[in-house]
């Protein structure tokens, strides 16, 4: 469903994403983990036509974002890391606007909006302006909006940031259900390791723009001799940091392109 080969993104001299390759299967739940500034959001932006790559190849649902951007955009829904709702519109209007953009027929649109707004527990606030919402309510509405056009792939960039545990569980239950019943592929980032361990079928760890490990949570734990994904994550990223530092200090090598 997602194919990435030798993908690189440079901002001037700085390489934010450095020659990464991975595949995500149809119907898979895939976590993309990494420390702050590792290159997660930059990768998602390239996969979703918001940024063009410096080099490398992407295929999403069989389409190339460079040449088939419309087909790619119809294939996915997205919850951005940064809020992207219109504060001056109501919850319902935000959903309507999105549905219209995706050409969802009016009747279906209304039914789906009603259902999704109910799912995120905003039915009694559906006609309130978004600027009057709490952070968690806004996040819930963004998730509902991303699901409106029944995308084949759902990208979620730190979707649970700032959500209370109850809402987080509720959201993952819904996404897991969607994954089971509709076969929706889910690609998400999070800094909550226990969430990734519980939900994801496979995990990639990116650090300083490079993928340093990929596999199931058990694979990563085995590889590092640890008993939790959090410990595996820390072991992998600390090792990478130490190795990079040694190269820079003793061999005057750049910290990149080594693993
Ligand atoms: N438009 C840009 N111009 C210059 N540098 C950028 C730009 N966007 C991102 N970067 C840099 O690229 C690197 C990767 O950023 P990115 O947002 O992908 O990280 P991230 O893994 O999503 O981190 P976080 O967990 O903090 O969200 C960072 O060093 C960031 O400063
Ligand atoms: Mg990010």
């Amino acid at each position: 469903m997602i194919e990435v080969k030798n993908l690189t993104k440079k901002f001037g001299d700085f390489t934010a994403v450095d020659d990464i390759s991975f595949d995500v299967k149809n119907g898979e739940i895939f976590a993309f983990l990494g420390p702050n500034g590792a290159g997660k959001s930059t990768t998602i932006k390239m996969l979703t036509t918001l940024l063009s790559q410096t080099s490398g190849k992407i295929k999403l649902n069989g389409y190339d974002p460079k040449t088939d951007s419309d087909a790619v955009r119809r294939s996915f829904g997205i919850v951005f890391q940064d809020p992207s709702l219109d504060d001056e519109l109501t919850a319902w209007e935000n959903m309507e606007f999105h549905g219209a953009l995706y050409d969802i027929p009016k009747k279906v649109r209304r039914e789906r909006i009603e259902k999704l707004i109910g799912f995120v527990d905003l039915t009694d606030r559906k006609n309130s302006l978004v600027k009057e919402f709490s952070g968690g309510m806004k996040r819930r509405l963004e998730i509902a909006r991303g699901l409106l056009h029944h995308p084949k792939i759902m990208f979620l960039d730190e979707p649970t940031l700032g959500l209370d545990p109850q809402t987080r569980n509720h959201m993952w239950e819904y996404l897991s259900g969607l994954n089971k019943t509709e076969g929706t592929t889910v690609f998400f980032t999070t800094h909550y390791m226990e969430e990734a361990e519980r939900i994801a079928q496979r995990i990639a760890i990116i650090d300083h723009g490079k993928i340093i490990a990929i596999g199931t949570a058990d694979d990563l734990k085995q590889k590092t001799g640890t008993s939790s994904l959090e410990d595996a994550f820390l072991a992998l990223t600390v090792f990478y940091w130490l190795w990079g530092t040694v190269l820079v200090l003793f061999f005057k090598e750049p910290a990149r392109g080594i693993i």
Side-chain angles (χ1 to χ4, degrees):
M1 186 54 72
I2 305 173
E3 292 169 54
V4 171
K5 285 217 169 60
N6 307 112
L7 186 65
T8 296
K9 179 69 191 178
K10 292 187 178 186
F11 295 107
D13 287 344
F14 177 71
T15 308
V17 174
D18 194 355
D19 194 26
I20 63 169
S21 300
F22 62 90
D23 290 330
V24 179
K25 295 183 204 100
N26 190 6
E28 193 170 24
I29 302 184
F30 191 86
F32 201 51
L33 310 181
N36 289 136
K40 304 180 296 294
S41 298
T42 304
T43 303
I44 290 183
K45 284 178 189 161
M46 289 189 279
L47 296 178
T48 55
T49 76
L50 294 171
L51 268 181
S52 59
Q53 66 262 44
T54 306
S55 59
K57 283 206 165 12
I58 300 171
K59 276 258 167 92
L60 207 116
N61 192 23
Y63 302 107
D64 182 338
K66 262 190 172 164
T67 51
D68 285 313
S69 54
D70 285 347
V72 167
R73 284 187 200 124
R74 275 192 296 274
S75 306
F76 69 81
I78 186 162
V79 175
F80 295 102
Q81 182 172 359
D82 300 318
S84 66
L85 295 163
D86 190 329
D87 269 4
E88 299 296 332
L89 298 180
T90 65
W92 187 277
E93 287 165 347
N94 266 284
M95 295 287 276
E96 269 281 335
F97 183 63
H98 187 81
L101 273 182
Y102 278 93
D103 275 337
I104 304 171
K106 218 169 188 173
K107 188 166 172 287
V108 183
R109 198 155 82 207
R110 294 233 164 102
E111 285 164 8
R112 279 198 204 154
I113 295 176
E114 199 74 62
K115 193 170 155 214
L116 282 164
I117 283 201
F119 151 69
V120 293
D121 272 338
L122 289 173
T123 303
D124 55 344
R125 300 296 302 272
K126 68 184 180 190
N127 294 319
S128 302
L129 291 176
V130 166
K131 66 179 173 194
E132 295 164 7
F133 280 10
S134 74
M137 288 160 75
K138 287 183 186 173
R139 211 74 195 129
R140 273 150 43 193
L141 182 61
E142 289 200 76
I143 291 162
R145 188 186 58 174
L147 293 168
L148 192 58
H149 62 290
H150 284 189
K152 284 199 166 165
I153 311 169
M154 190 67 186
F155 286 100
L156 303 123
D157 196 353
E158 297 192 37
T160 49
L161 184 73
L163 294 185
D164 61 58
Q166 218 173 348
T167 310
R168 274 205 268 159
N169 288 340
H170 189 45
M171 194 205 80
W172 286 122
E173 253 168 47
Y174 186 81
L175 283 166
S176 301
L178 203 71
N179 167 264
K180 281 202 188 81
T181 55
E182 314 249 335
T184 312
T185 305
V186 178
F187 185 104
F188 73 98
T189 76
T190 182
H191 289 294
Y192 301 110
M193 295 297 134
E194 89 292 344
E195 191 167 273
E197 186 163 7
R198 190 159 46 90
I199 307 294
Q201 289 151 4
R202 262 183 336 132
I203 294 161
I205 297 183
I206 181 169
D207 196 3
H208 293 91
K210 286 222 160 257
I211 289 187
I212 55 172
I214 191 160
T216 63
D218 283 342
D219 292 339
L220 302 184
K221 286 189 275 184
Q222 213 164 21
K223 189 175 172 180
T224 49
T226 52
S227 57
S228 71
L229 182 63
E230 179 147 346
D231 288 342
F233 176 85
L234 291 171
L236 285 161
T237 49
V238 164
F239 171 75
Y240 184 78
W241 177 81
L242 280 174
W243 183 229
T245 307
V246 165
L247 284 185
V248 170
L249 288 180
F250 294 100
F251 301 104
K252 308 274 185 258
E253 285 282 332
R256 292 165 181 284
I258 45 171
I259 293 179

